Amino acid sequence: QITNCTISGNSAQVQGGGIFIHGGSILTNCTISNNSAGTHGGGMSITGSVVMTDCEVINNSTVSESTDKTNGGGIYNSGSGKFTRCIISGNIVSGEASKGGGIYNYKNFSNFNYCTISGNVAEGATGKGGGIYNRAASPTLINITLTGNKAEYGGAMYGDESKNYGSMATIINSI
């Protein structure tokens, strides 16, 4: 369990600029800011399970010249997650085919409750999902604010399928 912490100013060549979670973790009242990664999860990369409450993931970046591997400026999530009262803001993913300025969800059913996802950017000629990019993922978003996010395709959210998996977000009481 990680409580009342700040993870800031770190970098990773590949993924998880601030933190890489490859197991289970609980984060409460944490700030993950100003971190960077080369391909996945400038702020954090999740391949296990995470429960985050009252956390901020802000001003992180994933920047690469690669055409297919710039995913999740703030969060790359290929695990399972429950996010409550979190702020995901000011993150950027940049590259030719960037995806998920704030969050990149891959093959999961994560839950987002009472979160604000704002001011995130997926840069590039084919940038997708400024706020959230879902690849074969079906997240549930309840009481979410999605505002001021930018991308060439899907400023707030972009849903994408893979060959064997659909992608369908459930959105309730959100703006």
PDB file of all heavy atoms in Angstrom, residues 26-66:
ATOM      1  N   ILE A  26      -2.278  -0.701  -3.854  1.00  0.00           N
ATOM      2  CA  ILE A  26      -3.300   0.255  -3.435  1.00  0.00           C
ATOM      3  C   ILE A  26      -2.607   1.589  -3.245  1.00  0.00           C
ATOM      4  O   ILE A  26      -1.639   1.696  -2.492  1.00  0.00           O
ATOM      5  CB  ILE A  26      -3.971  -0.194  -2.121  1.00  0.00           C
ATOM      6  CG1 ILE A  26      -4.665  -1.537  -2.306  1.00  0.00           C
ATOM      7  CG2 ILE A  26      -4.950   0.867  -1.625  1.00  0.00           C
ATOM      8  CD1 ILE A  26      -5.160  -2.161  -1.017  1.00  0.00           C
ATOM      9  N   LEU A  27      -3.084   2.611  -3.942  1.00  0.00           N
ATOM     10  CA  LEU A  27      -2.542   3.960  -3.820  1.00  0.00           C
ATOM     11  C   LEU A  27      -3.637   4.880  -3.296  1.00  0.00           C
ATOM     12  O   LEU A  27      -4.738   4.899  -3.842  1.00  0.00           O
ATOM     13  CB  LEU A  27      -2.048   4.488  -5.159  1.00  0.00           C
ATOM     14  CG  LEU A  27      -0.713   3.949  -5.665  1.00  0.00           C
ATOM     15  CD1 LEU A  27      -0.888   2.592  -6.299  1.00  0.00           C
ATOM     16  CD2 LEU A  27      -0.119   4.904  -6.660  1.00  0.00           C
ATOM     17  N   THR A  28      -3.333   5.628  -2.236  1.00  0.00           N
ATOM     18  CA  THR A  28      -4.291   6.553  -1.638  1.00  0.00           C
ATOM     19  C   THR A  28      -3.624   7.906  -1.431  1.00  0.00           C
ATOM     20  O   THR A  28      -2.531   7.988  -0.866  1.00  0.00           O
ATOM     21  CB  THR A  28      -4.798   6.013  -0.279  1.00  0.00           C
ATOM     22  OG1 THR A  28      -5.313   4.698  -0.471  1.00  0.00           O
ATOM     23  CG2 THR A  28      -5.889   6.900   0.288  1.00  0.00           C
ATOM     24  N   ASN A  29      -4.300   8.947  -1.892  1.00  0.00           N
ATOM     25  CA  ASN A  29      -3.831  10.317  -1.717  1.00  0.00           C
ATOM     26  C   ASN A  29      -2.397  10.513  -2.225  1.00  0.00           C
ATOM     27  O   ASN A  29      -1.533  11.033  -1.525  1.00  0.00           O
ATOM     28  CB  ASN A  29      -3.940  10.744  -0.243  1.00  0.00           C
ATOM     29  CG  ASN A  29      -3.820  12.247  -0.088  1.00  0.00           C
ATOM     30  OD1 ASN A  29      -4.236  12.999  -0.947  1.00  0.00           O
ATOM     31  ND2 ASN A  29      -3.223  12.672   1.011  1.00  0.00           N
ATOM     32  N   CYS A  30      -2.152  10.089  -3.460  1.00  0.00           N
ATOM     33  CA  CYS A  30      -0.828  10.206  -4.071  1.00  0.00           C
ATOM     34  C   CYS A  30      -0.867  11.139  -5.271  1.00  0.00           C
ATOM     35  O   CYS A  30      -1.892  11.272  -5.934  1.00  0.00           O
ATOM     36  CB  CYS A  30      -0.323   8.834  -4.519  1.00  0.00           C
ATOM     37  SG  CYS A  30       0.040   7.726  -3.149  1.00  0.00           S
ATOM     38  N   THR A  31       0.258  11.758  -5.556  1.00  0.00           N
ATOM     39  CA  THR A  31       0.416  12.573  -6.751  1.00  0.00           C
ATOM     40  C   THR A  31       1.525  11.971  -7.598  1.00  0.00           C
ATOM     41  O   THR A  31       2.643  11.758  -7.109  1.00  0.00           O
ATOM     42  CB  THR A  31       0.783  14.030  -6.384  1.00  0.00           C
ATOM     43  OG1 THR A  31      -0.278  14.579  -5.608  1.00  0.00           O
ATOM     44  CG2 THR A  31       0.983  14.867  -7.638  1.00  0.00           C
ATOM     45  N   ILE A  32       1.198  11.691  -8.857  1.00  0.00           N
ATOM     46  CA  ILE A  32       2.172  11.164  -9.818  1.00  0.00           C
ATOM     47  C   ILE A  32       2.279  12.232 -10.898  1.00  0.00           C
ATOM     48  O   ILE A  32       1.349  12.435 -11.680  1.00  0.00           O
ATOM     49  CB  ILE A  32       1.696   9.809 -10.378  1.00  0.00           C
ATOM     50  CG1 ILE A  32       1.540   8.795  -9.231  1.00  0.00           C
ATOM     51  CG2 ILE A  32       2.660   9.302 -11.437  1.00  0.00           C
ATOM     52  CD1 ILE A  32       0.802   7.547  -9.587  1.00  0.00           C
ATOM     53  N   SER A  33       3.407  12.960 -10.909  1.00  0.00           N
ATOM     54  CA  SER A  33       3.499  14.129 -11.790  1.00  0.00           C
ATOM     55  C   SER A  33       4.874  14.294 -12.418  1.00  0.00           C
ATOM     56  O   SER A  33       5.887  13.869 -11.868  1.00  0.00           O
ATOM     57  CB  SER A  33       3.163  15.396 -10.998  1.00  0.00           C
ATOM     58  OG  SER A  33       4.130  15.617  -9.998  1.00  0.00           O
ATOM     59  N   ASN A  34       4.866  14.909 -13.595  1.00  0.00           N
ATOM     60  CA  ASN A  34       6.099  15.302 -14.293  1.00  0.00           C
ATOM     61  C   ASN A  34       7.065  14.144 -14.521  1.00  0.00           C
ATOM     62  O   ASN A  34       8.278  14.299 -14.385  1.00  0.00           O
ATOM     63  CB  ASN A  34       6.790  16.445 -13.545  1.00  0.00           C
ATOM     64  CG  ASN A  34       5.893  17.662 -13.450  1.00  0.00           C
ATOM     65  OD1 ASN A  34       5.394  18.140 -14.458  1.00  0.00           O
ATOM     66  ND2 ASN A  34       5.651  18.125 -12.238  1.00  0.00           N
ATOM     67  N   ASN A  35       6.530  12.992 -14.862  1.00  0.00           N
ATOM     68  CA  ASN A  35       7.333  11.818 -15.204  1.00  0.00           C
ATOM     69  C   ASN A  35       7.227  11.588 -16.713  1.00  0.00           C
ATOM     70  O   ASN A  35       6.314  12.096 -17.363  1.00  0.00           O
ATOM     71  CB  ASN A  35       6.810  10.589 -14.455  1.00  0.00           C
ATOM     72  CG  ASN A  35       6.858  10.785 -12.956  1.00  0.00           C
ATOM     73  OD1 ASN A  35       7.924  10.813 -12.367  1.00  0.00           O
ATOM     74  ND2 ASN A  35       5.704  10.930 -12.328  1.00  0.00           N
ATOM     75  N   SER A  36       8.131  10.776 -17.269  1.00  0.00           N
ATOM     76  CA  SER A  36       8.082  10.497 -18.702  1.00  0.00           C
ATOM     77  C   SER A  36       8.525   9.074 -18.998  1.00  0.00           C
ATOM     78  O   SER A  36       9.295   8.472 -18.252  1.00  0.00           O
ATOM     79  CB  SER A  36       8.963  11.484 -19.469  1.00  0.00           C
ATOM     80  OG  SER A  36      10.316  11.309 -19.101  1.00  0.00           O
ATOM     81  N   ALA A  37       8.001   8.557 -20.114  1.00  0.00           N
ATOM     82  CA  ALA A  37       8.373   7.216 -20.586  1.00  0.00           C
ATOM     83  C   ALA A  37       8.499   7.254 -22.102  1.00  0.00           C
ATOM     84  O   ALA A  37       7.932   8.118 -22.765  1.00  0.00           O
ATOM     85  CB  ALA A  37       7.336   6.184 -20.159  1.00  0.00           C
ATOM     86  N   GLY A  38       9.235   6.277 -22.641  1.00  0.00           N
ATOM     87  CA  GLY A  38       9.475   6.216 -24.077  1.00  0.00           C
ATOM     88  C   GLY A  38       8.357   5.597 -24.879  1.00  0.00           C
ATOM     89  O   GLY A  38       8.139   5.973 -26.027  1.00  0.00           O
ATOM     90  N   THR A  39       7.606   4.648 -24.304  1.00  0.00           N
ATOM     91  CA  THR A  39       6.555   4.000 -25.102  1.00  0.00           C
ATOM     92  C   THR A  39       5.206   3.893 -24.392  1.00  0.00           C
ATOM     93  O   THR A  39       4.177   4.071 -25.018  1.00  0.00           O
ATOM     94  CB  THR A  39       6.978   2.587 -25.552  1.00  0.00           C
ATOM     95  OG1 THR A  39       7.186   1.771 -24.408  1.00  0.00           O
ATOM     96  CG2 THR A  39       8.227   2.622 -26.410  1.00  0.00           C
ATOM     97  N   HIS A  40       5.176   3.554 -23.110  1.00  0.00           N
ATOM     98  CA  HIS A  40       3.916   3.294 -22.416  1.00  0.00           C
ATOM     99  C   HIS A  40       3.913   3.923 -21.024  1.00  0.00           C
ATOM    100  O   HIS A  40       4.848   3.723 -20.246  1.00  0.00           O
ATOM    101  CB  HIS A  40       3.692   1.791 -22.205  1.00  0.00           C
ATOM    102  CG  HIS A  40       3.540   0.986 -23.455  1.00  0.00           C
ATOM    103  ND1 HIS A  40       4.569   0.762 -24.328  1.00  0.00           N
ATOM    104  CD2 HIS A  40       2.475   0.342 -23.965  1.00  0.00           C
ATOM    105  CE1 HIS A  40       4.135   0.003 -25.330  1.00  0.00           C
ATOM    106  NE2 HIS A  40       2.867  -0.254 -25.132  1.00  0.00           N
ATOM    107  N   GLY A  41       2.849   4.632 -20.695  1.00  0.00           N
ATOM    108  CA  GLY A  41       2.632   5.094 -19.326  1.00  0.00           C
ATOM    109  C   GLY A  41       3.645   6.075 -18.802  1.00  0.00           C
ATOM    110  O   GLY A  41       4.469   5.721 -17.964  1.00  0.00           O
ATOM    111  N   GLY A  42       3.566   7.318 -19.251  1.00  0.00           N
ATOM    112  CA  GLY A  42       4.485   8.338 -18.758  1.00  0.00           C
ATOM    113  C   GLY A  42       4.416   8.496 -17.251  1.00  0.00           C
ATOM    114  O   GLY A  42       5.433   8.599 -16.582  1.00  0.00           O
ATOM    115  N   GLY A  43       3.200   8.508 -16.706  1.00  0.00           N
ATOM    116  CA  GLY A  43       3.035   8.595 -15.256  1.00  0.00           C
ATOM    117  C   GLY A  43       3.127   7.248 -14.595  1.00  0.00           C
ATOM    118  O   GLY A  43       3.867   7.049 -13.638  1.00  0.00           O
ATOM    119  N   MET A  44       2.341   6.283 -15.134  1.00  0.00           N
ATOM    120  CA  MET A  44       2.358   4.943 -14.552  1.00  0.00           C
ATOM    121  C   MET A  44       1.921   3.907 -15.566  1.00  0.00           C
ATOM    122  O   MET A  44       1.140   4.188 -16.466  1.00  0.00           O
ATOM    123  CB  MET A  44       1.484   4.883 -13.299  1.00  0.00           C
ATOM    124  CG  MET A  44       0.017   5.136 -13.534  1.00  0.00           C
ATOM    125  SD  MET A  44      -0.953   5.298 -12.004  1.00  0.00           S
ATOM    126  CE  MET A  44      -0.605   3.773 -11.178  1.00  0.00           C
ATOM    127  N   SER A  45       2.452   2.709 -15.398  1.00  0.00           N
ATOM    128  CA  SER A  45       2.089   1.560 -16.210  1.00  0.00           C
ATOM    129  C   SER A  45       1.567   0.483 -15.280  1.00  0.00           C
ATOM    130  O   SER A  45       2.207   0.158 -14.281  1.00  0.00           O
ATOM    131  CB  SER A  45       3.307   1.071 -16.997  1.00  0.00           C
ATOM    132  OG  SER A  45       2.924   0.071 -17.905  1.00  0.00           O
ATOM    133  N   ILE A  46       0.391  -0.062 -15.616  1.00  0.00           N
ATOM    134  CA  ILE A  46      -0.258  -1.070 -14.777  1.00  0.00           C
ATOM    135  C   ILE A  46      -0.437  -2.344 -15.595  1.00  0.00           C
ATOM    136  O   ILE A  46      -1.118  -2.338 -16.614  1.00  0.00           O
ATOM    137  CB  ILE A  46      -1.643  -0.584 -14.304  1.00  0.00           C
ATOM    138  CG1 ILE A  46      -1.522   0.746 -13.564  1.00  0.00           C
ATOM    139  CG2 ILE A  46      -2.329  -1.640 -13.451  1.00  0.00           C
ATOM    140  CD1 ILE A  46      -2.832   1.505 -13.463  1.00  0.00           C
ATOM    141  N   THR A  47       0.185  -3.431 -15.158  1.00  0.00           N
ATOM    142  CA  THR A  47      -0.037  -4.727 -15.800  1.00  0.00           C
ATOM    143  C   THR A  47      -0.640  -5.717 -14.810  1.00  0.00           C
ATOM    144  O   THR A  47      -0.941  -6.838 -15.176  1.00  0.00           O
ATOM    145  CB  THR A  47       1.268  -5.308 -16.395  1.00  0.00           C
ATOM    146  OG1 THR A  47       2.217  -5.487 -15.351  1.00  0.00           O
ATOM    147  CG2 THR A  47       1.836  -4.384 -17.458  1.00  0.00           C
ATOM    148  N   GLY A  48      -0.807  -5.309 -13.578  1.00  0.00           N
ATOM    149  CA  GLY A  48      -1.442  -6.125 -12.545  1.00  0.00           C
ATOM    150  C   GLY A  48      -2.760  -5.497 -12.158  1.00  0.00           C
ATOM    151  O   GLY A  48      -3.532  -5.090 -13.014  1.00  0.00           O
ATOM    152  N   SER A  49      -3.001  -5.376 -10.868  1.00  0.00           N
ATOM    153  CA  SER A  49      -4.233  -4.736 -10.409  1.00  0.00           C
ATOM    154  C   SER A  49      -3.891  -3.557  -9.511  1.00  0.00           C
ATOM    155  O   SER A  49      -2.890  -3.563  -8.805  1.00  0.00           O
ATOM    156  CB  SER A  49      -5.106  -5.735  -9.655  1.00  0.00           C
ATOM    157  OG  SER A  49      -4.474  -6.161  -8.473  1.00  0.00           O
ATOM    158  N   VAL A  50      -4.744  -2.539  -9.571  1.00  0.00           N
ATOM    159  CA  VAL A  50      -4.517  -1.349  -8.761  1.00  0.00           C
ATOM    160  C   VAL A  50      -5.853  -0.802  -8.273  1.00  0.00           C
ATOM    161  O   VAL A  50      -6.856  -0.897  -8.961  1.00  0.00           O
ATOM    162  CB  VAL A  50      -3.732  -0.269  -9.549  1.00  0.00           C
ATOM    163  CG1 VAL A  50      -4.562   0.301 -10.684  1.00  0.00           C
ATOM    164  CG2 VAL A  50      -3.248   0.835  -8.641  1.00  0.00           C
ATOM    165  N   VAL A  51      -5.828  -0.285  -7.048  1.00  0.00           N
ATOM    166  CA  VAL A  51      -6.938   0.485  -6.503  1.00  0.00           C
ATOM    167  C   VAL A  51      -6.365   1.851  -6.172  1.00  0.00           C
ATOM    168  O   VAL A  51      -5.431   1.958  -5.370  1.00  0.00           O
ATOM    169  CB  VAL A  51      -7.543  -0.173  -5.244  1.00  0.00           C
ATOM    170  CG1 VAL A  51      -8.615   0.722  -4.637  1.00  0.00           C
ATOM    171  CG2 VAL A  51      -8.107  -1.547  -5.575  1.00  0.00           C
ATOM    172  N   MET A  52      -6.891   2.889  -6.821  1.00  0.00           N
ATOM    173  CA  MET A  52      -6.405   4.254  -6.581  1.00  0.00           C
ATOM    174  C   MET A  52      -7.558   5.109  -6.066  1.00  0.00           C
ATOM    175  O   MET A  52      -8.618   5.151  -6.684  1.00  0.00           O
ATOM    176  CB  MET A  52      -5.849   4.866  -7.862  1.00  0.00           C
ATOM    177  CG  MET A  52      -4.546   4.256  -8.308  1.00  0.00           C
ATOM    178  SD  MET A  52      -3.884   5.000  -9.835  1.00  0.00           S
ATOM    179  CE  MET A  52      -3.440   6.635  -9.268  1.00  0.00           C
ATOM    180  N   THR A  53      -7.321   5.799  -4.948  1.00  0.00           N
ATOM    181  CA  THR A  53      -8.334   6.663  -4.363  1.00  0.00           C
ATOM    182  C   THR A  53      -7.709   8.017  -4.045  1.00  0.00           C
ATOM    183  O   THR A  53      -6.636   8.083  -3.441  1.00  0.00           O
ATOM    184  CB  THR A  53      -8.907   6.036  -3.078  1.00  0.00           C
ATOM    185  OG1 THR A  53      -9.381   4.715  -3.384  1.00  0.00           O
ATOM    186  CG2 THR A  53     -10.052   6.853  -2.513  1.00  0.00           C
ATOM    187  N   ASP A  54      -8.404   9.079  -4.445  1.00  0.00           N
ATOM    188  CA  ASP A  54      -7.959  10.454  -4.170  1.00  0.00           C
ATOM    189  C   ASP A  54      -6.539  10.722  -4.664  1.00  0.00           C
ATOM    190  O   ASP A  54      -5.733  11.348  -3.970  1.00  0.00           O
ATOM    191  CB  ASP A  54      -8.061  10.769  -2.669  1.00  0.00           C
ATOM    192  CG  ASP A  54      -9.493  10.682  -2.168  1.00  0.00           C
ATOM    193  OD1 ASP A  54     -10.399  11.140  -2.892  1.00  0.00           O
ATOM    194  OD2 ASP A  54      -9.706  10.144  -1.070  1.00  0.00           O
ATOM    195  N   CYS A  55      -6.229  10.266  -5.865  1.00  0.00           N
ATOM    196  CA  CYS A  55      -4.894  10.457  -6.443  1.00  0.00           C
ATOM    197  C   CYS A  55      -4.951  11.403  -7.633  1.00  0.00           C
ATOM    198  O   CYS A  55      -5.996  11.568  -8.261  1.00  0.00           O
ATOM    199  CB  CYS A  55      -4.317   9.115  -6.891  1.00  0.00           C
ATOM    200  SG  CYS A  55      -3.923   7.992  -5.539  1.00  0.00           S
ATOM    201  N   GLU A  56      -3.810  12.009  -7.937  1.00  0.00           N
ATOM    202  CA  GLU A  56      -3.655  12.854  -9.112  1.00  0.00           C
ATOM    203  C   GLU A  56      -2.560  12.280 -10.008  1.00  0.00           C
ATOM    204  O   GLU A  56      -1.479  11.944  -9.519  1.00  0.00           O
ATOM    205  CB  GLU A  56      -3.260  14.273  -8.713  1.00  0.00           C
ATOM    206  CG  GLU A  56      -4.313  15.017  -7.936  1.00  0.00           C
ATOM    207  CD  GLU A  56      -3.899  16.437  -7.623  1.00  0.00           C
ATOM    208  OE1 GLU A  56      -2.691  16.764  -7.706  1.00  0.00           O
ATOM    209  OE2 GLU A  56      -4.796  17.238  -7.296  1.00  0.00           O
ATOM    210  N   VAL A  57      -2.866  12.173 -11.292  1.00  0.00           N
ATOM    211  CA  VAL A  57      -1.881  11.782 -12.299  1.00  0.00           C
ATOM    212  C   VAL A  57      -1.831  12.962 -13.262  1.00  0.00           C
ATOM    213  O   VAL A  57      -2.718  13.124 -14.104  1.00  0.00           O
ATOM    214  CB  VAL A  57      -2.284  10.473 -12.998  1.00  0.00           C
ATOM    215  CG1 VAL A  57      -1.243  10.091 -14.052  1.00  0.00           C
ATOM    216  CG2 VAL A  57      -2.461   9.345 -11.988  1.00  0.00           C
ATOM    217  N   ILE A  58      -0.821  13.824 -13.095  1.00  0.00           N
ATOM    218  CA  ILE A  58      -0.817  15.108 -13.797  1.00  0.00           C
ATOM    219  C   ILE A  58       0.534  15.425 -14.447  1.00  0.00           C
ATOM    220  O   ILE A  58       1.587  15.099 -13.927  1.00  0.00           O
ATOM    221  CB  ILE A  58      -1.219  16.259 -12.854  1.00  0.00           C
ATOM    222  CG1 ILE A  58      -0.337  16.306 -11.610  1.00  0.00           C
ATOM    223  CG2 ILE A  58      -2.680  16.127 -12.438  1.00  0.00           C
ATOM    224  CD1 ILE A  58      -0.581  17.495 -10.702  1.00  0.00           C
ATOM    225  N   ASN A  59       0.432  16.024 -15.630  1.00  0.00           N
ATOM    226  CA  ASN A  59       1.595  16.565 -16.352  1.00  0.00           C
ATOM    227  C   ASN A  59       2.688  15.531 -16.633  1.00  0.00           C
ATOM    228  O   ASN A  59       3.876  15.825 -16.518  1.00  0.00           O
ATOM    229  CB  ASN A  59       2.186  17.764 -15.595  1.00  0.00           C
ATOM    230  CG  ASN A  59       1.169  18.865 -15.406  1.00  0.00           C
ATOM    231  OD1 ASN A  59       0.351  19.103 -16.280  1.00  0.00           O
ATOM    232  ND2 ASN A  59       1.199  19.505 -14.253  1.00  0.00           N
ATOM    233  N   ASN A  60       2.294  14.339 -17.021  1.00  0.00           N
ATOM    234  CA  ASN A  60       3.234  13.290 -17.416  1.00  0.00           C
ATOM    235  C   ASN A  60       3.247  13.188 -18.941  1.00  0.00           C
ATOM    236  O   ASN A  60       2.338  13.675 -19.615  1.00  0.00           O
ATOM    237  CB  ASN A  60       2.810  11.952 -16.802  1.00  0.00           C
ATOM    238  CG  ASN A  60       2.802  12.007 -15.289  1.00  0.00           C
ATOM    239  OD1 ASN A  60       3.851  12.015 -14.664  1.00  0.00           O
ATOM    240  ND2 ASN A  60       1.620  12.071 -14.690  1.00  0.00           N
ATOM    241  N   SER A  61       4.262  12.507 -19.493  1.00  0.00           N
ATOM    242  CA  SER A  61       4.336  12.394 -20.946  1.00  0.00           C
ATOM    243  C   SER A  61       4.931  11.069 -21.397  1.00  0.00           C
ATOM    244  O   SER A  61       5.771  10.483 -20.723  1.00  0.00           O
ATOM    245  CB  SER A  61       5.179  13.541 -21.517  1.00  0.00           C
ATOM    246  OG  SER A  61       6.497  13.465 -21.032  1.00  0.00           O
ATOM    247  N   THR A  62       4.445  10.638 -22.560  1.00  0.00           N
ATOM    248  CA  THR A  62       5.028   9.510 -23.275  1.00  0.00           C
ATOM    249  C   THR A  62       5.319  10.024 -24.675  1.00  0.00           C
ATOM    250  O   THR A  62       4.413  10.424 -25.393  1.00  0.00           O
ATOM    251  CB  THR A  62       4.058   8.312 -23.327  1.00  0.00           C
ATOM    252  OG1 THR A  62       3.754   7.910 -21.997  1.00  0.00           O
ATOM    253  CG2 THR A  62       4.674   7.143 -24.078  1.00  0.00           C
ATOM    254  N   VAL A  63       6.597  10.041 -25.041  1.00  0.00           N
ATOM    255  CA  VAL A  63       7.004  10.619 -26.308  1.00  0.00           C
ATOM    256  C   VAL A  63       7.926   9.648 -27.024  1.00  0.00           C
ATOM    257  O   VAL A  63       8.907   9.174 -26.454  1.00  0.00           O
ATOM    258  CB  VAL A  63       7.733  11.968 -26.095  1.00  0.00           C
ATOM    259  CG1 VAL A  63       8.174  12.553 -27.425  1.00  0.00           C
ATOM    260  CG2 VAL A  63       6.837  12.943 -25.347  1.00  0.00           C
ATOM    261  N   SER A  64       7.597   9.351 -28.300  1.00  0.00           N
ATOM    262  CA  SER A  64       8.415   8.434 -29.082  1.00  0.00           C
ATOM    263  C   SER A  64       8.277   8.765 -30.557  1.00  0.00           C
ATOM    264  O   SER A  64       7.236   9.247 -30.997  1.00  0.00           O
ATOM    265  CB  SER A  64       7.973   6.989 -28.838  1.00  0.00           C
ATOM    266  OG  SER A  64       8.689   6.107 -29.664  1.00  0.00           O
ATOM    267  N   GLU A  65       9.308   8.483 -31.314  1.00  0.00           N
ATOM    268  CA  GLU A  65       9.240   8.651 -32.766  1.00  0.00           C
ATOM    269  C   GLU A  65       8.660   7.410 -33.428  1.00  0.00           C
ATOM    270  O   GLU A  65       8.369   7.414 -34.605  1.00  0.00           O
ATOM    271  CB  GLU A  65      10.641   8.928 -33.326  1.00  0.00           C
ATOM    272  CG  GLU A  65      11.266  10.206 -32.786  1.00  0.00           C
ATOM    273  CD  GLU A  65      10.402  11.433 -33.028  1.00  0.00           C
ATOM    274  OE1 GLU A  65       9.867  11.582 -34.146  1.00  0.00           O
ATOM    275  OE2 GLU A  65      10.262  12.249 -32.102  1.00  0.00           O
ATOM    276  N   SER A  66       8.461   6.335 -32.660  1.00  0.00           N
ATOM    277  CA  SER A  66       7.912   5.100 -33.191  1.00  0.00           C
ATOM    278  C   SER A  66       6.483   5.321 -33.667  1.00  0.00           C
ATOM    279  O   SER A  66       5.727   6.085 -33.086  1.00  0.00           O
ATOM    280  CB  SER A  66       7.917   4.025 -32.092  1.00  0.00           C
ATOM    281  OG  SER A  66       7.225   2.882 -32.525  1.00  0.00           O
TER     282      SER A  66
END
